[in-house]
Amino acid sequence: MKALLMFRDRDFDLKGKLPWNEPALTQDLELNTLFHAMALGDEFLFDVARRAVWSGLENDVGTILYRQNILKDCLKNPSIVRNIYDIAVEAIEKEKKVYFGYWFSKYPSAILSRSIEVLQLFVGMLRRLRHIADENADKFESEGFSEFFAMLRRELAEEYLASIQNHLKELKFREGVLISAELGQGNKGTNYVLRKPQEKKQSWIERIFAKKPPVYIYNLHPRDESGARALSELRDRGLNLVANALAQSTDHILSFFNMLRTELAFYVGCLNLYEQLSQMGEPVCFPLPLVPCDHRHSFQELYDVCLALTMKQKVVGNDVDADNKNLVIITGANQGGKSTFLRSIGLAQLMMQCGMFVPAESFSSNICDGLFTHYKREEDPTMKSGKLDEELSRMNDIVDKITPNSMVLLDESFAATNEREGSEIARQIVSALVEKRIKVFFVTHLYEFAYGFFDKNTGNALFLRAERQTEGERTFKLIKGEPLQTSYGEDLYNIIFGTDNVNLNGEISSVLHGESSEKILGRLGR
């Protein structure tokens, strides 16, 4: 039996290899905020969410749509899906308790007793799953759930479950164990075979007065420890094969429950996230994934889901049409929402490719073979290298791993040197990436770099600017527009020295006293 709720033709690998840049992506995109929201304190849900999101970078369009349809069924029937998940968890937890009682025993008789107890437990759980399939299959439309419920009804018919119960009852051997053997060399026993007792449907009177078959009986003395040990060894030899077979059956059903729990955990995490976003009034949509060679990227009201989860309120979204664009350069006022927008791009791409909904009203993008980030880092405290050396070293690592049809997000890269040198470095690197059909999103204050691409007007670049109103107020919206030579740093100066209380990112923040103006400006300008 297989759940097949993540892939059409194979199980989900919870121990799959993570991308080499997973720590950097987790830090730059604040992914742990997303994982914690999906897990709600459950470590297993957290691990599954994390693994599922990273596995999305290897998915194709068919797999993404397969999961989307399953998730749509989950959103329509959350209580049923959670009930199935709870059954899987309950089965696994109860099996552990049964196993504990036989921890130190490896004798066939003990293995058989444990397997019987566990299988009786599992039969009850399987019967509950089959009952859910019988009552609710018509409420699900996806290929994944339709096949899952059909499998349950096909392989767990009531006659089959009843026959399992009968076999388990027989394997308790309440009337003794019937074993045949042959005499081998030196009159040693060989070819031990467990035999099925003959079924005799007799009344109690017939059992008392019926003629008994001739048998040879040996009565073991109660104090004969050696004889008891020898008899136990004979019994275990006869039970060995059936004990192993039953243990394998137990392991097979347990692996089914483990995989069912693992694959449903992803969708339970999505349900947890969906419920939190719904309470905030944030929109979500099922994106349209496209093949890698079809460079598309357009959306409406795309927002940073991690920011919304952190602030626990609705945040500003953006509309962008970047179809057939390989380069998007974002410039504009400080504290205008540029880095937040860049993070929303990366989060949406990962969520789409693992089969989740996306935090937007509509979203369409080609899938990417890889996702890379190059964000600013704090200066090396050991002073082994300068900030520019460190930036170039990380970019070199990305270039070694990146492939065509990938996406790279750059936030204030190469700003550790002067304007001219930083612009030239950025120009050469970005030109090479775009030439290899790599999609680039670049947040920058390097005017010379940004205007150089704008002036060329190649047609494959989109230029966005953080909107600033006439009095310096930030709307956190991005609009199309050519790069400007100013980032309006004077707005920050006026905020700091003009009032005691300022409003940044929708929050009322008090000016921190005791810091130099340069330090405050540097912190706010990041």
Side-chain angles (χ1 to χ4, degrees), residues 443-476:
V443 169
T444 184
H445 288 300
L446 297 173
Y447 173 75
E448 189 175 326
F449 157 76
Y451 191 79
F453 276 94
F454 180 82
D455 192 46
K456 286 182 181 179
N457 192 22
T458 57
N460 67 338
L462 176 66
F463 297 87
L464 302 176
R465 197 170 66 214
E467 188 176 43
R468 171 189 177 275
Q469 295 184 347
T470 53
E471 296 182 357
E473 184 179 351
R474 272 59 166 169
T475 65
F476 308 110

Side-chain angles (χ1 to χ4, degrees), residues 46 80 86 112 210-211 222 227 229 245 315 334 351 452 494 523:
F46 183 95
I80 299 173
D86 290 341
L112 181 64
K211 185 178 180 180
R229 190 180 302 111
V315 296
N334 286 302
M351 293 173 72
N494 292 332
R523 179 161 49 81

Side-chain angles (χ1 to χ4, degrees), residues 63 75 83 198 239 248 263 328 381 390 398 499:
T63 300
L75 295 177
N83 189 17
Q198 295 181 357
L239 294 177
Q248 290 176 12
E263 297 190 351
V328 179
E390 185 273 337
I398 292 174
T499 59

Side-chain angles (χ1 to χ4, degrees), residues 25 28-30 297 299 302-305 318 320 328-330 336-350 371-376 407-413 439-444 464 476 478:
L25 285 169
D28 294 336
L29 301 181
E30 300 183 8
H297 216 118
F299 46 82
L302 175 69
Y303 60 93
D304 180 356
V305 64
N318 277 285
V320 169
V328 179
I329 295 179
I330 305 114
K338 302 185 299 297
S339 296
T340 299
F341 170 78
L342 191 67
R343 189 164 55 243
S344 72
I345 293 290
L347 287 167
Q349 191 71 26
L350 286 175
L371 180 63
F372 303 85
T373 56
H374 190 269
Y375 281 38
K376 289 191 302 183
M407 179 190 295
V408 60
L409 310 177
L410 300 99
D411 189 11
E412 299 293 354
S413 298
K439 192 182 294 186
V440 179
F441 285 80
F442 200 153
V443 169
T444 184
L464 302 176
F476 308 110
L478 296 182

Side-chain angles (χ1 to χ4, degrees), residues 294-297 322 325-328 345 349 364-368 402 405-410 433-434 436-441:
D294 190 1
H295 275 214
R296 301 292 182 91
H297 216 118
K325 307 293 185 183
N326 285 356
L327 174 62
V328 179
I345 293 290
Q349 191 71 26
S364 176
S365 173
N366 61 281
I367 62 177
C368 296
I402 202 166
N405 298 318
S406 293
M407 179 190 295
V408 60
L409 310 177
L410 300 99
L433 293 173
V434 171
K436 293 296 183 180
R437 292 186 60 78
I438 294 168
K439 192 182 294 186
V440 179
F441 285 80

Side-chain angles (χ1 to χ4, degrees), residues 298-526:
S298 61
F299 46 82
Q300 290 183 328
E301 290 300 314
L302 175 69
Y303 60 93
D304 180 356
V305 64
C306 291
L307 179 62
L309 292 169
T310 301
M311 297 180 65
K312 299 188 182 305
Q313 66 181 47
K314 195 168 183 177
V315 296
V316 175
N318 277 285
D319 303 342
V320 169
D321 182 359
D323 287 348
N324 301 314
K325 307 293 185 183
N326 285 356
L327 174 62
V328 179
I329 295 179
I330 305 114
T331 60
N334 286 302
Q335 298 294 318
K338 302 185 299 297
S339 296
T340 299
F341 170 78
L342 191 67
R343 189 164 55 243
S344 72
I345 293 290
L347 287 167
Q349 191 71 26
L350 286 175
M351 293 173 72
M352 180 190 75
Q353 292 199 205
C354 73
M356 294 176 65
F357 46 74
V358 166
E361 289 185 356
S362 66
F363 187 93
S364 176
S365 173
N366 61 281
I367 62 177
C368 296
D369 295 337
L371 180 63
F372 303 85
T373 56
H374 190 269
Y375 281 38
K376 289 191 302 183
R377 294 284 184 264
E378 294 298 329
E379 191 163 357
D380 181 11
T382 65
M383 299 300 291
K384 291 182 179 179
S385 64
K387 291 189 69 174
L388 181 60
D389 288 340
E390 185 273 337
E391 285 189 89
L392 293 175
S393 176
R394 282 191 290 121
M395 180 55 70
N396 185 65
D397 293 337
I398 292 174
V399 170
D400 286 341
K401 300 288 186 180
I402 202 166
T403 59
N405 298 318
S406 293
M407 179 190 295
V408 60
L409 310 177
L410 300 99
D411 189 11
E412 299 293 354
S413 298
F414 319 117
T417 183
N418 60 68
E419 167 83 15
R420 178 171 296 180
E421 187 177 64
S423 295
E424 181 59 22
I425 293 172
R427 183 192 65 79
Q428 292 188 27
I429 291 175
V430 170
S431 296
L433 293 173
V434 171
E435 185 178 339
K436 293 296 183 180
R437 292 186 60 78
I438 294 168
K439 192 182 294 186
V440 179
F441 285 80
F442 200 153
V443 169
T444 184
H445 288 300
L446 297 173
Y447 173 75
E448 189 175 326
F449 157 76
Y451 191 79
F453 276 94
F454 180 82
D455 192 46
K456 286 182 181 179
N457 192 22
T458 57
N460 67 338
L462 176 66
F463 297 87
L464 302 176
R465 197 170 66 214
E467 188 176 43
R468 171 189 177 275
Q469 295 184 347
T470 53
E471 296 182 357
E473 184 179 351
R474 272 59 166 169
T475 65
F476 308 110
K477 284 283 190 180
L478 296 182
I479 59 175
K480 287 185 180 181
E482 68 176 276
L484 301 179
Q485 284 186 305
T486 177
S487 296
Y488 297 101
E490 68 272 15
D491 291 344
L492 299 180
Y493 183 91
N494 292 332
I495 288 174
I496 294 172
F497 298 104
T499 59
D500 291 330
N501 297 291
V502 295
N503 188 323
L504 291 177
N505 291 331
E507 296 283 324
I508 301 298
S509 304
S510 296
V511 173
L512 301 178
H513 297 285
E515 291 184 343
S516 67
S517 59
E518 292 83 359
K519 199 169 185 179
I520 296 173
L521 281 169
R523 179 161 49 81
L524 291 176
R526 288 190 303 183

